Coordinates of all heavy atoms in Angstrom, one line a residue:
I157 N 81.0 166.0 85.7 CA 80.3 166.2 86.9 C 80.8 165.2 88.0 O 81.0 165.6 89.2 CB 78.8 166.0 86.7 CG1 78.3 167.2 85.8 CG2 78.0 166.0 88.0 CD1 76.8 167.2 85.5
Y183 N 76.3 168.2 97.8 CA 75.3 167.6 96.9 C 75.6 166.1 96.6 O 74.9 165.5 95.8 CB 75.3 168.4 95.6 CG 76.6 168.3 94.8 CD1 76.9 167.2 94.0 CD2 77.5 169.4 94.8 CE1 78.1 167.2 93.3 CE2 78.7 169.3 94.1 CZ 78.9 168.2 93.3 OH 80.1 168.2 92.6
N185 N 74.4 163.2 97.3 CA 73.3 162.6 98.0 C 72.6 161.6 97.2 O 71.4 161.3 97.4 CB 72.3 163.7 98.4 CG 71.9 164.6 97.2 OD1 72.1 164.2 96.1 ND2 71.2 165.7 97.5
G186 N 73.3 161.0 96.2 CA 72.7 160.0 95.4 C 71.9 160.4 94.2 O 71.4 159.6 93.4
D187 N 71.8 161.7 93.9 CA 71.1 162.2 92.8 C 72.0 162.0 91.5 O 73.2 161.8 91.6 CB 70.9 163.7 92.9 CG 69.8 164.1 93.9 OD1 69.0 163.1 94.1 OD2 69.7 165.2 94.4
G188 N 71.3 162.0 90.4 CA 72.0 161.9 89.1 C 72.9 163.1 88.8 O 72.8 164.1 89.5
P189 N 73.7 163.0 87.8 CA 74.6 164.1 87.4 C 74.0 165.4 87.2 O 74.4 166.4 87.7 CB 75.3 163.6 86.2 CG 75.2 162.1 86.2 CD 73.9 161.8 86.9
A190 N 72.8 165.4 86.5 CA 72.2 166.7 86.2 C 71.7 167.4 87.4 O 71.8 168.6 87.5 CB 71.0 166.5 85.3
E191 N 71.3 166.7 88.5 CA 70.8 167.3 89.7 C 72.0 167.7 90.6 O 71.8 168.6 91.4 CB 69.9 166.3 90.5 CG 68.6 166.0 89.8 CD 68.7 165.0 88.6 OE1 69.7 164.3 88.6 OE2 67.8 165.1 87.8
Q192 N 73.2 167.1 90.4 CA 74.2 167.4 91.4 C 74.7 168.9 91.3 O 74.9 169.6 92.3 CB 75.4 166.5 91.2 CG 75.1 165.1 91.6 CD 76.3 164.1 91.4 OE1 77.4 164.5 91.1 NE2 76.0 162.8 91.7
C193 N 74.8 169.4 90.0 CA 75.2 170.8 89.9 C 74.1 171.7 90.4 O 74.3 172.7 91.1 CB 75.5 171.1 88.5 SG 77.1 170.6 87.9
L194 N 72.8 171.4 90.1 CA 71.7 172.2 90.6 C 71.7 172.2 92.1 O 71.4 173.3 92.7 CB 70.4 171.6 90.0 CG 70.2 171.8 88.5 CD1 68.9 171.1 88.1 CD2 70.2 173.3 88.1
N195 N 71.9 171.1 92.7 CA 72.0 171.1 94.2 C 73.0 172.0 94.8 O 72.8 172.6 95.8 CB 72.2 169.6 94.7 CG 71.0 168.7 94.5 OD1 69.9 169.2 94.2 ND2 71.2 167.4 94.5
A196 N 74.2 172.0 94.1 CA 75.3 172.8 94.6 C 74.9 174.3 94.4 O 75.1 175.1 95.4 CB 76.6 172.6 93.8
F197 N 74.3 174.7 93.3 CA 73.9 176.1 93.1 C 72.8 176.4 94.0 O 72.7 177.6 94.6 CB 73.5 176.3 91.7 CG 74.5 175.9 90.6 CD1 74.2 175.4 89.4 CD2 75.9 176.1 90.9 CE1 75.2 175.0 88.5 CE2 76.9 175.7 90.0 CZ 76.5 175.2 88.8
D198 N 71.8 175.5 94.3 CA 70.7 175.8 95.2 C 71.2 175.9 96.6 O 70.5 176.5 97.4 CB 69.6 174.7 95.1 CG 68.9 174.8 93.7 OD1 69.0 175.8 93.1 OD2 68.2 173.8 93.4
N233 N 74.7 172.8 81.7 CA 74.8 172.1 83.0 C 75.4 172.9 84.1 O 75.2 172.6 85.3 CB 75.6 170.8 82.8 CG 74.8 169.6 82.3 OD1 74.2 168.9 83.0 ND2 74.7 169.5 81.0

Side-chain angles (χ1 to χ4, degrees):
I157 293 178
Y183 66 80
N185 55 12
D187 286 340
E191 290 77 24
Q192 291 184 5
C193 284
L194 291 176
N195 289 344
F197 304 145
D198 289 345
N233 277 270

